[in-house]
Amino acid sequence: MLRVAVAGASGYAGGEVLRWLLQHPEVEIGSVTAGGNAGALLGSVHPHLFSLGDRVLAETTPETLSGHDVVVLALPHGHSAAVAEGLDEETVIVDCGADFRLRSETDWTTFYDTPYAGSWAYGLPELALAGGGRARTDIEGRHRVAVPGCYPTAVSLALAPGLAAGVVEPDDVVVVAASGTSGAGKSLKPHLLGSEVIGSMSPYGVGGVHRHTPEIEQNLGAAAGVPVAASFTPTLAPMARGILATATARVAPGASTADIREAWRASYAEEPFVHLLEPGAWPATAHVVGSNHVTVQVTVDERVGRVIAVAAIDNLAKGTAGAAVQCLNLAVGLPETTGLLGSGVAP
């Protein structure tokens, strides 16, 4: 059994990590820690985690987290590096924050306000890479893994197959995506109050300023083999969980509709968590809620010569905690799907 600690366990991401670990047959949950909620019972912040309700949240320190086989960090952006520095090099650390996702220091300092901490193995196993292969090969056996952001997960899985296969052009990518309110975390914010969100949708981070923009471009560039510039507009939807990402790009010269369909089919044919839907069926967030699964669809707007690719994920599952467990499995040598094959919840 792997002894796993979770830092930042009182937030949405940390609570979701614990929910998945409770279903994992090879895991024993060790220390659970928090910041401002240290000293409180876990059940007071996550009443749905019944079997862990009487656990006391400890302070997040390297001393508390040491001695575990795996540590999952679910901390605010900019806080993971200091904690990771205090842990043994042989400890597997899976970071759900943004601290180690970006390979470019310039991208980090442009979009974040803390010092650049470097980059770790990037934890999106299914990401198709230019020249063949998948990103999972860089995760297997690694002791430091950065879990992708939720928006980059959905957008990358929607569009990467076409870029890797060369059937879409890399120089005119446009993305609009809607997220549930849990993507903003558990801290109280006036614009996330029920009375503000219910019955309304709104954009935010408009004009290329959202922090996930460089990560989206990094992933799509890895798929295309050349730099990709993406216009990304996120929107807030009146739901607790889920992301629906719609990405469009120009069809590459000579690529047929059949070529495009085949690129996506071939890319995901052997992937256990990414499902290309039958023609005419479209992704919906309700179909993946509570699961580590992703639904994808692709079509061509022949009138304007553009590919439209759509993906749906649960932002707290495949977009964060489910991905963390998937990376944990790969890092320690377990089957990738261990503890993750459960279906979504419907209705």
Side-chain angles (χ1 to χ4, degrees):
M1 297 289 283
L2 294 166
R3 194 158 183 265
V4 181
V6 178
S10 63
Y12 284 140
E16 184 74 354
V17 169
L18 290 170
R19 185 178 77 85
W20 283 104
L21 292 178
L22 284 169
Q23 305 172 61
H24 199 294
E26 303 294 335
V27 161
E28 172 192 346
I29 296 173
S31 296
V32 290
T33 77
N37 286 306
L41 291 177
L42 184 67
S44 69
V45 291
H46 294 307
H48 64 296
L49 299 177
F50 297 103
S51 61
L52 299 174
D54 59 353
R55 293 283 195 97
V56 176
L57 290 160
E59 290 188 17
T60 301
T61 66
E63 292 74 24
T64 302
L65 298 172
S66 65
H68 295 80
D69 300 299
V70 181
V71 174
V72 179
L73 302 178
L75 304 173
H77 300 320
H79 288 70
S80 296
V83 175
E85 285 179 1
L87 296 176
D88 188 275
E89 291 184 359
E90 294 304 308
T91 302
V92 173
I93 305 177
V94 179
D95 183 23
C96 295
D99 295 39
F100 300 101
R101 294 172 187 164
L102 297 180
R103 298 187 181 95
S104 165
E105 182 174 357
T106 299
D107 284 346
W108 177 268
T109 56
T110 299
F111 285 86
Y112 293 89
D113 56 4
T114 57
Y116 181 62
S119 64
W120 289 354
Y122 188 75
L124 186 55
E126 303 91 348
L127 179 64
L129 303 176
R134 293 289 189 276
R136 67 167 43 85
T137 57
D138 191 38
I139 306 168
E140 295 168 340
R142 298 292 289 271
H143 288 185
R144 301 289 188 270
V145 183
V147 176
C150 51
Y151 278 127
T153 295
V155 174
S156 302
L157 294 178
L159 199 56
L163 291 164
V167 295
V168 301
E169 295 284 79
D171 58 353
D172 185 16
V173 174
V174 178
V175 180
V176 177
S179 173
T181 56
S182 61
K186 205 171 184 180
S187 299
L188 294 177
K189 302 177 180 70
H191 72 285
L192 298 178
L193 293 173
S195 57
E196 301 290 334
V197 174
I198 293 172
S200 177
M201 282 192 68
S202 58
Y204 65 101
V206 180
V209 299
H210 192 279
R211 288 178 168 181
H212 284 172
T213 300
E215 188 181 346
I216 289 170
E217 294 178 340
Q218 175 178 282
N219 293 355
L220 298 183
V226 295
V228 172
S231 174
F232 171 52
T233 303
T235 64
L236 185 66
M239 57 187 182
R241 290 174 177 249
I243 285 178
L244 188 70
T246 301
T248 78
R250 290 187 295 113
V251 176
S256 68
T257 298
D259 293 335
I260 289 164
R261 180 75 188 180
E262 176 57 21
W264 267 259
R265 188 207 65 77
S267 187
Y268 294 135
E270 304 299 324
E271 293 294 345
F273 297 118
V274 186
H275 310 279
L276 178 65
L277 301 180
E278 291 298 317
W282 289 96
T285 57
H287 300 164
V288 295
V289 166
S291 82
N292 198 54
H293 294 278
V294 184
T295 53
V296 177
Q297 184 58 283
V298 63
T299 193
V300 177
D301 184 339
E302 296 183 357
R303 187 179 65 85
V304 296
R306 294 187 73 85
V307 167
I308 298 94
V310 181
I313 67 169
D314 181 328
N315 60 294
L316 288 180
K318 180 57 174 171
T320 307
V325 175
Q326 192 175 347
C327 291
L328 180 160
N329 288 336
L330 286 167
V332 302
L334 290 171
E336 186 174 339
T337 58
T338 306
L340 290 170
L341 284 174
S343 298
V345 178

